[in-house]
Amino acid sequence: MTTSDLRAESGATAIGTQRWARLLPIVFITYSLAYLDRSNFSIGIAGGMAEDLAITPAVSALIGAAFFLGYFAFQIPGAIYAERRSVRSLIFWSLLAWGVLASVQGLLSSATALIVVRFLIGVVEAAVLPAMVIFLSHWFTSRERGRANTFLILGNPVTVLWLTVVSGFLIEATDWRWMFIIEGLPAIAWAFVFRAMVSDHPQQAKWLNAPERDAVIQQLDQEQRALTPVKGYGEAFRSRNVILLSLQYFLWSVGVYGFVFWLPSIVKAASGEGIGMSGLISGIPYVLAVILMVVNSRASDRAGTRGRFVWPWLLVGAVAFYGSYLLGPDQFWLSFVLLAVAGGAMYAPYGPYFAQIPEFLPRNVAGAAIALINSFGALGGFAGSYLVGWLNGTTGSTDASFLLMAGCLALAAVVMLLVKAPAAESVPEPAAETAR
Protein backbone atom coordinates (compact mmCIF):
# COMPACT_ATOMS: atom_id res chain seq x y z
CA MET A 1 0.00 0.00 0.00
CA THR A 2 1.41 3.38 -0.99
CA THR A 3 1.77 6.45 1.22
CA SER A 4 -1.09 8.18 -0.61
CA ASP A 5 -3.30 5.14 -0.06
CA LEU A 6 -2.57 5.19 3.66
CA ARG A 7 -3.25 8.91 3.87
CA ALA A 8 -6.58 8.60 2.05
CA GLU A 9 -7.57 5.62 4.17
CA SER A 10 -6.69 7.33 7.45
CA GLY A 11 -8.46 10.52 6.37
CA ALA A 12 -11.64 8.56 5.74
CA THR A 13 -11.65 6.92 9.15
CA ALA A 14 -10.04 9.44 11.52
CA ILE A 15 -13.23 11.40 12.14
CA GLY A 16 -15.11 8.40 13.50
CA THR A 17 -17.40 5.57 12.50
CA GLN A 18 -20.68 6.14 14.33
CA ARG A 19 -22.26 7.53 11.16
CA TRP A 20 -21.38 4.42 9.17
CA ALA A 21 -22.92 2.02 11.68
CA ARG A 22 -26.10 4.05 12.12
CA LEU A 23 -26.91 5.51 8.71
CA LEU A 24 -25.69 3.11 6.05
CA PRO A 25 -27.99 0.20 7.00
CA ILE A 26 -30.89 2.68 6.96
CA VAL A 27 -30.15 4.09 3.50
CA PHE A 28 -29.48 0.59 2.18
CA ILE A 29 -32.85 -0.73 3.36
CA THR A 30 -34.69 2.37 2.14
CA TYR A 31 -33.34 2.16 -1.39
CA SER A 32 -33.83 -1.62 -1.36
CA LEU A 33 -37.54 -1.15 -0.70
CA ALA A 34 -37.80 1.44 -3.47
CA TYR A 35 -36.12 -0.91 -5.89
CA LEU A 36 -38.28 -3.85 -4.82
CA ASP A 37 -41.46 -1.98 -5.73
CA ARG A 38 -40.12 -0.82 -9.08
CA SER A 39 -38.58 -4.11 -10.20
CA ASN A 40 -41.03 -6.84 -9.21
CA PHE A 41 -43.13 -5.91 -12.25
CA SER A 42 -40.71 -7.89 -14.43
CA ILE A 43 -41.27 -10.99 -12.26
CA GLY A 44 -45.03 -10.47 -12.33
CA ILE A 45 -45.08 -10.29 -16.13
CA ALA A 46 -43.05 -13.50 -16.44
CA GLY A 47 -45.16 -15.14 -13.72
CA GLY A 48 -48.66 -14.91 -15.22
CA MET A 49 -49.73 -11.24 -15.14
CA ALA A 50 -49.38 -10.94 -18.92
CA GLU A 51 -51.74 -13.85 -19.53
CA ASP A 52 -54.32 -12.89 -16.86
CA LEU A 53 -54.61 -9.26 -18.00
CA ALA A 54 -54.17 -9.99 -21.73
CA ILE A 55 -51.02 -7.83 -21.92
CA THR A 56 -49.17 -8.02 -25.25
CA PRO A 57 -45.37 -7.56 -25.38
CA ALA A 58 -45.80 -3.99 -26.66
CA VAL A 59 -48.29 -3.07 -23.89
CA SER A 60 -46.08 -4.79 -21.32
CA ALA A 61 -43.17 -2.64 -22.42
CA LEU A 62 -45.36 0.48 -22.15
CA ILE A 63 -46.48 -0.43 -18.62
CA GLY A 64 -42.88 -1.06 -17.57
CA ALA A 65 -41.83 2.27 -19.08
CA ALA A 66 -44.72 4.30 -17.56
CA PHE A 67 -42.87 4.27 -14.24
CA PHE A 68 -40.05 6.32 -15.74
CA LEU A 69 -42.31 9.07 -17.04
CA GLY A 70 -43.46 9.85 -13.49
CA TYR A 71 -39.94 9.31 -12.22
CA PHE A 72 -38.61 11.86 -14.73
CA ALA A 73 -41.19 14.56 -14.05
CA PHE A 74 -40.69 14.91 -10.28
CA GLN A 75 -36.91 14.50 -9.91
CA ILE A 76 -35.90 18.15 -9.67
CA PRO A 77 -38.79 19.43 -7.49
CA GLY A 78 -38.19 16.57 -5.06
CA ALA A 79 -34.45 17.21 -4.87
CA ILE A 80 -34.93 20.94 -4.29
CA TYR A 81 -37.35 20.17 -1.45
CA ALA A 82 -34.88 17.67 0.03
CA GLU A 83 -32.01 20.20 0.00
CA ARG A 84 -33.97 23.24 1.15
CA ARG A 85 -36.36 21.56 3.57
CA SER A 86 -35.95 17.95 4.72
CA VAL A 87 -34.81 14.61 3.29
CA ARG A 88 -36.31 12.93 6.35
CA SER A 89 -39.82 14.25 5.74
CA LEU A 90 -39.73 13.63 1.99
CA ILE A 91 -38.64 10.01 2.31
CA PHE A 92 -41.16 9.28 5.08
CA TRP A 93 -44.15 10.29 2.96
CA SER A 94 -42.68 8.70 -0.16
CA LEU A 95 -42.28 5.35 1.62
CA LEU A 96 -45.91 5.37 2.71
CA ALA A 97 -47.19 6.29 -0.74
CA TRP A 98 -45.14 3.84 -2.77
CA GLY A 99 -45.88 0.98 -0.34
CA VAL A 100 -49.63 1.48 -0.79
CA LEU A 101 -49.39 1.84 -4.56
CA ALA A 102 -47.13 -1.21 -4.87
CA SER A 103 -49.67 -3.38 -3.06
CA VAL A 104 -52.55 -1.96 -5.13
CA GLN A 105 -50.95 -3.48 -8.24
CA GLY A 106 -52.11 -6.88 -7.01
CA LEU A 107 -55.76 -5.75 -7.02
CA LEU A 108 -55.93 -4.39 -10.57
CA SER A 109 -57.78 -6.04 -13.45
CA SER A 110 -56.81 -3.96 -16.50
CA ALA A 111 -53.65 -2.88 -18.28
CA THR A 112 -54.88 0.73 -18.36
CA ALA A 113 -55.14 0.89 -14.56
CA LEU A 114 -51.72 -0.71 -14.28
CA ILE A 115 -50.20 2.00 -16.50
CA VAL A 116 -51.66 4.69 -14.19
CA VAL A 117 -50.42 3.01 -11.01
CA ARG A 118 -46.93 2.42 -12.43
CA PHE A 119 -46.78 6.11 -13.38
CA LEU A 120 -47.76 7.14 -9.83
CA ILE A 121 -45.15 4.82 -8.31
CA GLY A 122 -42.61 6.64 -10.47
CA VAL A 123 -43.86 9.99 -9.16
CA VAL A 124 -43.52 9.09 -5.46
CA GLU A 125 -40.15 7.38 -5.93
CA ALA A 126 -38.75 10.17 -8.12
CA ALA A 127 -36.77 12.00 -5.47
CA VAL A 128 -35.52 8.94 -3.57
CA LEU A 129 -32.10 8.55 -5.21
CA PRO A 130 -31.19 12.26 -5.45
CA ALA A 131 -32.56 12.89 -1.94
CA MET A 132 -30.50 10.05 -0.49
CA VAL A 133 -27.35 11.18 -2.34
CA ILE A 134 -27.97 14.67 -0.92
CA PHE A 135 -28.47 13.14 2.52
CA LEU A 136 -25.15 11.28 2.35
CA SER A 137 -23.36 14.43 1.18
CA HIS A 138 -24.51 16.06 4.45
CA TRP A 139 -22.95 13.27 6.50
CA PHE A 140 -19.87 11.95 4.67
CA THR A 141 -16.77 13.70 3.36
CA SER A 142 -15.43 13.44 -0.17
CA ARG A 143 -12.93 10.78 0.93
CA GLU A 144 -15.80 8.63 2.21
CA ARG A 145 -18.52 9.36 -0.29
CA GLY A 146 -17.78 6.72 -2.93
CA ARG A 147 -18.23 3.92 -0.40
CA ALA A 148 -21.19 5.61 1.28
CA ASN A 149 -22.98 5.96 -2.07
CA THR A 150 -22.19 2.35 -2.86
CA PHE A 151 -23.92 1.18 0.33
CA LEU A 152 -26.95 3.17 -0.81
CA ILE A 153 -27.00 1.83 -4.37
CA LEU A 154 -26.20 -1.72 -3.26
CA GLY A 155 -29.91 -1.73 -2.46
CA ASN A 156 -30.44 -2.06 -6.20
CA PRO A 157 -28.54 -5.28 -7.09
CA VAL A 158 -29.03 -6.90 -3.67
CA THR A 159 -32.78 -6.37 -3.93
CA VAL A 160 -32.93 -7.71 -7.49
CA LEU A 161 -30.82 -10.68 -6.32
CA TRP A 162 -33.24 -11.84 -3.66
CA LEU A 163 -36.30 -10.44 -5.40
CA THR A 164 -35.84 -12.60 -8.47
CA VAL A 165 -35.51 -15.67 -6.25
CA VAL A 166 -38.15 -14.99 -3.58
CA SER A 167 -40.73 -13.45 -5.92
CA GLY A 168 -40.49 -16.34 -8.35
CA PHE A 169 -41.14 -18.92 -5.67
CA LEU A 170 -43.76 -16.68 -4.02
CA ILE A 171 -45.71 -16.64 -7.30
CA GLU A 172 -45.44 -20.43 -7.49
CA ALA A 173 -46.75 -20.73 -3.91
CA THR A 174 -49.60 -18.21 -4.37
CA ASP A 175 -49.91 -16.08 -7.53
CA TRP A 176 -48.64 -12.81 -8.96
CA ARG A 177 -51.38 -10.78 -7.21
CA TRP A 178 -50.31 -11.87 -3.74
CA MET A 179 -46.69 -11.22 -4.63
CA PHE A 180 -47.47 -7.54 -5.26
CA ILE A 181 -49.68 -7.21 -2.16
CA ILE A 182 -47.16 -8.84 0.19
CA GLU A 183 -44.10 -7.02 -1.20
CA GLY A 184 -45.68 -3.56 -0.87
CA LEU A 185 -46.26 -3.82 2.88
CA PRO A 186 -42.63 -3.55 4.16
CA ALA A 187 -42.26 0.00 2.79
CA ILE A 188 -45.24 1.18 4.84
CA ALA A 189 -43.78 -0.23 8.06
CA TRP A 190 -40.27 1.05 7.29
CA ALA A 191 -41.49 4.64 6.85
CA PHE A 192 -41.96 4.96 10.63
CA VAL A 193 -38.59 3.36 11.39
CA PHE A 194 -36.87 5.75 8.98
CA ARG A 195 -38.47 8.82 10.54
CA ALA A 196 -37.48 7.70 14.04
CA MET A 197 -33.86 6.88 13.20
CA VAL A 198 -32.76 9.69 10.85
CA SER A 199 -31.77 13.35 11.24
CA ASP A 200 -31.16 15.62 8.27
CA HIS A 201 -27.79 17.00 9.46
CA PRO A 202 -25.06 15.96 11.93
CA GLN A 203 -25.75 18.94 14.19
CA GLN A 204 -29.31 17.63 14.74
CA ALA A 205 -28.28 14.10 15.73
CA LYS A 206 -28.34 13.54 19.49
CA TRP A 207 -26.92 10.03 19.03
CA LEU A 208 -23.68 11.27 17.38
CA ASN A 209 -20.71 11.84 19.69
CA ALA A 210 -19.37 15.39 19.80
CA PRO A 211 -15.83 14.77 18.43
CA GLU A 212 -17.14 12.98 15.33
CA ARG A 213 -19.92 15.52 14.84
CA ASP A 214 -17.56 18.50 15.02
CA ALA A 215 -14.92 16.87 12.81
CA VAL A 216 -17.31 15.97 10.02
CA ILE A 217 -19.01 19.39 10.07
CA GLN A 218 -15.62 21.11 9.91
CA GLN A 219 -14.37 19.04 6.99
CA LEU A 220 -17.62 19.34 5.03
CA ASP A 221 -17.57 23.11 5.48
CA GLN A 222 -13.98 23.26 4.25
CA GLU A 223 -14.85 21.20 1.18
CA GLN A 224 -17.67 23.63 0.37
CA ARG A 225 -15.35 26.63 0.69
CA ALA A 226 -12.93 25.01 -1.78
CA LEU A 227 -15.56 24.73 -4.54
CA THR A 228 -16.13 27.41 -7.16
CA PRO A 229 -19.37 29.25 -6.27
CA VAL A 230 -22.37 28.69 -8.55
CA LYS A 231 -25.10 31.32 -8.29
CA GLY A 232 -28.16 29.33 -9.32
CA TYR A 233 -29.66 26.24 -10.88
CA GLY A 234 -29.50 27.61 -14.42
CA GLU A 235 -25.74 28.08 -14.24
CA ALA A 236 -25.31 24.58 -12.81
CA PHE A 237 -27.55 22.96 -15.42
CA ARG A 238 -25.64 24.64 -18.26
CA SER A 239 -22.24 23.54 -17.00
CA ARG A 240 -20.20 21.22 -19.22
CA ASN A 241 -20.02 18.36 -16.73
CA VAL A 242 -23.74 18.35 -15.93
CA ILE A 243 -24.68 18.29 -19.63
CA LEU A 244 -22.22 15.48 -20.37
CA LEU A 245 -23.23 13.44 -17.33
CA SER A 246 -26.91 13.81 -18.23
CA LEU A 247 -26.26 12.38 -21.70
CA GLN A 248 -23.95 9.73 -20.31
CA TYR A 249 -26.43 8.57 -17.66
CA PHE A 250 -29.23 8.36 -20.25
CA LEU A 251 -27.13 5.97 -22.34
CA TRP A 252 -25.99 3.95 -19.32
CA SER A 253 -29.57 3.57 -18.06
CA VAL A 254 -30.79 2.19 -21.39
CA GLY A 255 -28.49 -0.76 -20.79
CA VAL A 256 -29.18 -1.14 -17.07
CA TYR A 257 -32.95 -1.04 -17.16
CA GLY A 258 -33.30 -3.01 -20.36
CA PHE A 259 -31.32 -5.68 -18.52
CA VAL A 260 -33.14 -5.45 -15.16
CA PHE A 261 -36.68 -5.42 -16.52
CA TRP A 262 -36.32 -8.15 -19.13
CA LEU A 263 -33.68 -10.57 -17.84
CA PRO A 264 -36.19 -12.91 -16.10
CA SER A 265 -38.28 -13.17 -19.29
CA ILE A 266 -35.16 -13.70 -21.43
CA VAL A 267 -33.88 -16.44 -19.12
CA LYS A 268 -37.29 -18.15 -18.89
CA ALA A 269 -37.71 -18.21 -22.68
CA ALA A 270 -34.16 -19.33 -23.48
CA SER A 271 -33.63 -21.86 -20.68
CA GLY A 272 -37.07 -23.46 -20.67
CA GLU A 273 -37.12 -23.40 -16.85
CA GLY A 274 -40.12 -22.48 -14.67
CA ILE A 275 -40.50 -19.01 -13.17
CA GLY A 276 -39.01 -20.06 -9.82
CA MET A 277 -35.81 -21.46 -11.30
CA SER A 278 -35.65 -18.66 -13.87
CA GLY A 279 -35.72 -16.16 -11.00
CA LEU A 280 -32.90 -18.03 -9.26
CA ILE A 281 -30.76 -18.04 -12.42
CA SER A 282 -31.51 -14.35 -13.04
CA GLY A 283 -30.09 -13.49 -9.62
CA ILE A 284 -26.57 -14.65 -10.51
CA PRO A 285 -25.41 -11.42 -12.23
CA TYR A 286 -26.33 -9.41 -9.14
CA VAL A 287 -23.99 -11.46 -6.92
CA LEU A 288 -21.13 -10.35 -9.14
CA ALA A 289 -22.51 -6.79 -9.16
CA VAL A 290 -22.41 -6.54 -5.35
CA ILE A 291 -18.78 -7.69 -5.20
CA LEU A 292 -17.63 -5.34 -7.96
CA MET A 293 -19.47 -2.34 -6.51
CA VAL A 294 -17.80 -2.69 -3.12
CA VAL A 295 -14.30 -3.27 -4.52
CA ASN A 296 -14.56 -0.48 -7.11
CA SER A 297 -15.90 2.17 -4.72
CA ARG A 298 -13.20 1.43 -2.15
CA ALA A 299 -10.52 1.73 -4.82
CA SER A 300 -11.99 5.03 -6.04
CA ASP A 301 -12.07 6.57 -2.54
CA ARG A 302 -8.49 5.51 -1.88
CA ALA A 303 -7.32 6.91 -5.21
CA GLY A 304 -9.29 10.13 -4.79
CA THR A 305 -10.48 10.03 -8.43
CA ARG A 306 -13.74 8.97 -10.09
CA GLY A 307 -13.73 8.85 -13.90
CA ARG A 308 -11.26 6.01 -14.34
CA PHE A 309 -13.40 3.89 -12.02
CA VAL A 310 -16.48 4.42 -14.23
CA TRP A 311 -15.83 4.26 -17.98
CA PRO A 312 -13.75 1.03 -18.18
CA TRP A 313 -16.55 -0.94 -16.53
CA LEU A 314 -19.12 0.35 -18.99
CA LEU A 315 -16.86 -0.68 -21.85
CA VAL A 316 -16.56 -4.18 -20.35
CA GLY A 317 -20.36 -4.35 -20.17
CA ALA A 318 -20.67 -3.35 -23.82
CA VAL A 319 -18.20 -6.02 -24.94
CA ALA A 320 -19.98 -8.67 -22.84
CA PHE A 321 -23.38 -7.84 -24.34
CA TYR A 322 -21.90 -8.02 -27.83
CA GLY A 323 -20.29 -11.37 -27.05
CA SER A 324 -23.62 -12.69 -25.76
CA TYR A 325 -25.22 -11.56 -29.01
CA LEU A 326 -22.57 -13.42 -31.07
CA LEU A 327 -23.14 -16.65 -29.14
CA GLY A 328 -26.93 -16.43 -29.51
CA PRO A 329 -29.71 -18.39 -27.76
CA ASP A 330 -28.49 -21.77 -29.08
CA GLN A 331 -25.57 -21.53 -26.64
CA PHE A 332 -27.61 -20.18 -23.76
CA TRP A 333 -25.34 -21.04 -20.85
CA LEU A 334 -22.22 -19.58 -22.44
CA SER A 335 -24.25 -16.55 -23.46
CA PHE A 336 -25.58 -16.24 -19.92
CA VAL A 337 -22.05 -16.14 -18.46
CA LEU A 338 -21.42 -13.04 -20.57
CA LEU A 339 -24.76 -11.59 -19.49
CA ALA A 340 -23.65 -12.03 -15.88
CA VAL A 341 -20.39 -10.18 -16.65
CA ALA A 342 -22.36 -7.40 -18.37
CA GLY A 343 -24.69 -7.05 -15.37
CA GLY A 344 -21.85 -6.89 -12.87
CA ALA A 345 -19.87 -4.40 -14.96
CA MET A 346 -22.86 -2.07 -15.40
CA TYR A 347 -23.35 -1.82 -11.63
CA ALA A 348 -19.71 -1.52 -10.56
CA PRO A 349 -19.31 2.26 -11.19
CA TYR A 350 -22.37 3.61 -9.35
CA GLY A 351 -20.64 4.64 -6.10
CA PRO A 352 -17.83 6.68 -7.71
CA TYR A 353 -20.24 8.08 -10.30
CA PHE A 354 -22.60 9.74 -7.83
CA ALA A 355 -19.75 10.72 -5.50
CA GLN A 356 -18.23 12.98 -8.16
CA ILE A 357 -21.16 15.41 -8.54
CA PRO A 358 -20.89 17.11 -5.10
CA GLU A 359 -17.14 17.32 -5.72
CA PHE A 360 -17.46 19.84 -8.57
CA LEU A 361 -20.67 21.65 -7.56
CA PRO A 362 -21.42 23.43 -4.26
CA ARG A 363 -24.21 22.36 -1.94
CA ASN A 364 -26.72 25.00 -3.05
CA VAL A 365 -27.01 23.49 -6.54
CA ALA A 366 -25.55 19.96 -6.29
CA GLY A 367 -28.85 18.33 -5.28
CA ALA A 368 -30.77 19.76 -8.23
CA ALA A 369 -27.93 18.81 -10.59
CA ILE A 370 -28.02 15.23 -9.29
CA ALA A 371 -31.77 15.22 -9.90
CA LEU A 372 -31.34 16.54 -13.45
CA ILE A 373 -28.76 13.87 -14.26
CA ASN A 374 -30.90 11.18 -12.65
CA SER A 375 -33.96 12.40 -14.58
CA PHE A 376 -32.10 11.74 -17.82
CA GLY A 377 -31.34 8.33 -16.38
CA ALA A 378 -35.10 7.93 -15.97
CA LEU A 379 -35.57 8.74 -19.64
CA GLY A 380 -32.90 6.16 -20.42
CA GLY A 381 -34.76 3.70 -18.21
CA PHE A 382 -37.96 4.45 -20.11
CA ALA A 383 -36.20 3.94 -23.43
CA GLY A 384 -34.38 0.81 -22.28
CA SER A 385 -37.36 -0.95 -20.70
CA TYR A 386 -39.64 -0.08 -23.64
CA LEU A 387 -37.24 -0.70 -26.52
CA VAL A 388 -35.84 -3.98 -25.18
CA GLY A 389 -39.36 -5.31 -24.62
CA TRP A 390 -40.54 -4.05 -28.00
CA LEU A 391 -37.53 -5.46 -29.86
CA ASN A 392 -37.83 -8.84 -28.16
CA GLY A 393 -41.55 -9.04 -28.98
CA THR A 394 -41.24 -7.75 -32.55
CA THR A 395 -38.21 -9.75 -33.68
CA GLY A 396 -38.85 -12.86 -31.61
CA SER A 397 -35.24 -12.90 -30.40
CA THR A 398 -32.86 -11.00 -28.13
CA ASP A 399 -30.29 -10.19 -30.84
CA ALA A 400 -31.41 -6.62 -31.53
CA SER A 401 -31.88 -5.74 -27.86
CA PHE A 402 -28.40 -7.03 -26.95
CA LEU A 403 -26.89 -4.88 -29.71
CA LEU A 404 -28.88 -1.88 -28.44
CA MET A 405 -27.59 -2.31 -24.89
CA ALA A 406 -24.01 -2.91 -26.07
CA GLY A 407 -24.03 0.21 -28.22
CA CYS A 408 -25.48 2.45 -25.51
CA LEU A 409 -22.94 1.28 -22.92
CA ALA A 410 -20.05 1.84 -25.33
CA LEU A 411 -21.25 5.38 -26.05
CA ALA A 412 -21.70 6.01 -22.30
CA ALA A 413 -18.06 5.03 -21.74
CA VAL A 414 -16.90 7.44 -24.46
CA VAL A 415 -18.94 10.35 -23.08
CA MET A 416 -17.57 9.70 -19.58
CA LEU A 417 -14.05 10.29 -20.91
CA LEU A 418 -15.07 13.86 -21.79
CA VAL A 419 -16.12 14.76 -18.22
CA LYS A 420 -13.59 17.01 -16.50
CA ALA A 421 -12.38 15.85 -13.11
CA PRO A 422 -12.78 18.40 -10.28
CA ALA A 423 -9.75 20.53 -9.46
CA ALA A 424 -7.46 19.01 -6.88
CA GLU A 425 -8.31 21.70 -4.34
CA SER A 426 -11.99 20.70 -4.36
CA VAL A 427 -11.11 17.45 -2.56
CA PRO A 428 -9.03 18.61 0.43
CA GLU A 429 -6.46 16.27 1.88
CA PRO A 430 -7.37 15.46 5.49
CA ALA A 431 -3.72 15.71 6.53
CA ALA A 432 -3.47 19.27 5.20
CA GLU A 433 -6.67 20.21 6.99
CA THR A 434 -5.30 18.96 10.29
CA ALA A 435 -2.07 20.91 9.82
CA ARG A 436 -4.00 24.12 9.35
Side-chain angles (χ1 to χ4, degrees):
M1 184 180 293
T2 67
T3 303
S4 61
D5 287 338
L6 286 168
R7 185 171 57 192
E9 188 74 11
S10 64
T13 58
I15 58 177
T17 58
Q18 267 197 305
R19 296 159 299 135
W20 295 86
R22 171 93 171 202
L23 298 178
L24 294 186
I26 293 172
V27 300
F28 171 80
I29 293 171
T30 302
Y31 195 59
S32 294
L33 292 173
Y35 217 81
L36 185 160
D37 294 330
R38 95 174 53 165
S39 299
N40 57 8
F41 171 74
S42 62
I43 306 294
I45 285 292
M49 176 190 281
E51 292 82 0
D52 290 351
L53 300 186
I55 298 172
T56 65
V59 173
S60 175
L62 182 60
I63 295 170
F67 168 89
F68 292 102
L69 293 180
Y71 194 72
F72 172 79
F74 287 85
Q75 286 279 311
I76 294 175
I80 291 173
Y81 179 91
E83 184 61 76
R84 292 184 176 180
R85 300 290 295 277
S86 172
V87 173
R88 177 174 175 264
S89 174
L90 178 67
I91 298 298
F92 170 73
W93 290 108
S94 296
L95 278 160
L96 290 178
W98 88 58
V100 170
L101 289 166
S103 290
V104 164
Q105 292 175 104
L107 306 176
L108 301 178
S109 58
S110 75
T112 302
L114 197 53
I115 290 173
V116 173
V117 170
R118 293 297 296 179
F119 174 82
L120 292 175
I121 291 175
V123 169
V124 296
E125 289 187 13
V128 174
L129 180 61
M132 296 305 279
V133 173
I134 291 166
F135 175 75
L136 291 175
S137 73
H138 293 167
W139 284 88
F140 295 92
T141 69
S142 61
R143 290 289 186 185
E144 304 169 310
R145 214 167 282 144
R147 283 167 292 159
N149 285 336
T150 291
F151 274 96
L152 164 67
I153 301 170
L154 274 174
N156 175 326
V158 170
T159 299
V160 178
L161 172 61
W162 69 260
L163 173 71
T164 53
V165 178
V166 173
S167 295
F169 287 109
L170 187 59
I171 290 174
E172 288 188 343
T174 57
D175 61 18
W176 63 267
R177 292 186 179 276
W178 276 107
M179 180 203 72
F180 281 119
I181 293 169
I182 291 169
E183 291 183 351
L185 298 178
I188 299 172
W190 183 252
F192 297 94
V193 178
F194 183 89
R195 186 170 65 173
M197 295 289 288
V198 163
S199 303
D200 282 306
H201 299 277
Q203 52 266 43
Q204 299 168 341
K206 296 180 180 179
W207 51 267
L208 185 62
N209 67 61
E212 183 170 353
R213 180 195 64 213
D214 295 343
V216 73
I217 291 172
Q218 180 183 6
Q219 188 160 334
L220 289 172
D221 287 345
Q222 179 170 342
E223 290 174 2
Q224 288 298 304
R225 290 194 298 272
L227 295 176
T228 302
V230 176
K231 294 180 180 179
Y233 299 127
E235 183 180 345
F237 293 167
R238 292 191 301 270
S239 69
R240 171 192 170 91
N241 276 359
V242 171
I243 292 171
L244 288 172
L245 288 173
S246 297
L247 172 61
Q248 190 270 350
Y249 201 46
F250 172 88
L251 294 165
W252 183 2
S253 296
V254 170
V256 169
Y257 285 100
F259 181 85
V260 168
F261 271 83
W262 294 105
L263 183 63
S265 295
I266 291 170
V267 169
K268 186 172 183 289
S271 69
E273 300 286 350
I275 184 60
M277 185 55 65
S278 295
L280 184 62
I281 295 169
S282 299
I284 293 172
Y286 301 102
V287 176
L288 179 61
V290 168
I291 296 169
L292 293 180
M293 286 177 73
V294 172
V295 171
N296 192 49
S297 64
R298 180 178 176 82
S300 175
D301 276 353
R302 291 173 64 182
T305 61
R306 307 301 182 190
R308 64 188 175 94
F309 293 93
V310 177
W311 70 263
W313 290 108
L314 301 180
L315 196 57
V316 169
V319 172
F321 270 128
Y322 184 67
S324 189
Y325 154 76
L326 292 177
L327 288 171
D330 293 337
Q331 302 182 70
F332 169 72
W333 291 110
L334 288 176
S335 177
F336 180 76
V337 170
L338 290 176
L339 282 181
V341 171
M346 283 191 298
Y347 276 98
Y350 272 116
Y353 184 83
F354 281 103
Q356 71 186 321
I357 301 166
E359 292 174 2
F360 62 76
L361 287 174
R363 186 177 296 158
N364 65 309
V365 295
I370 291 167
L372 178 67
I373 293 164
N374 199 46
S375 69
F376 275 85
L379 288 181
F382 176 92
S385 59
Y386 182 82
L387 289 174
V388 169
W390 180 79
L391 287 169
N392 290 346
T394 301
T395 65
S397 78
T398 58
D399 288 355
S401 59
F402 282 7
L403 287 175
L404 171 70
M405 291 186 280
C408 287
L409 287 177
L411 287 173
V414 171
V415 174
M416 192 69 209
L417 287 169
L418 303 176
V419 176
K420 291 183 177 180
E425 65 268 23
S426 68
V427 186
E429 289 286 352
E433 178 189 350
T434 302
R436 282 194 294 270

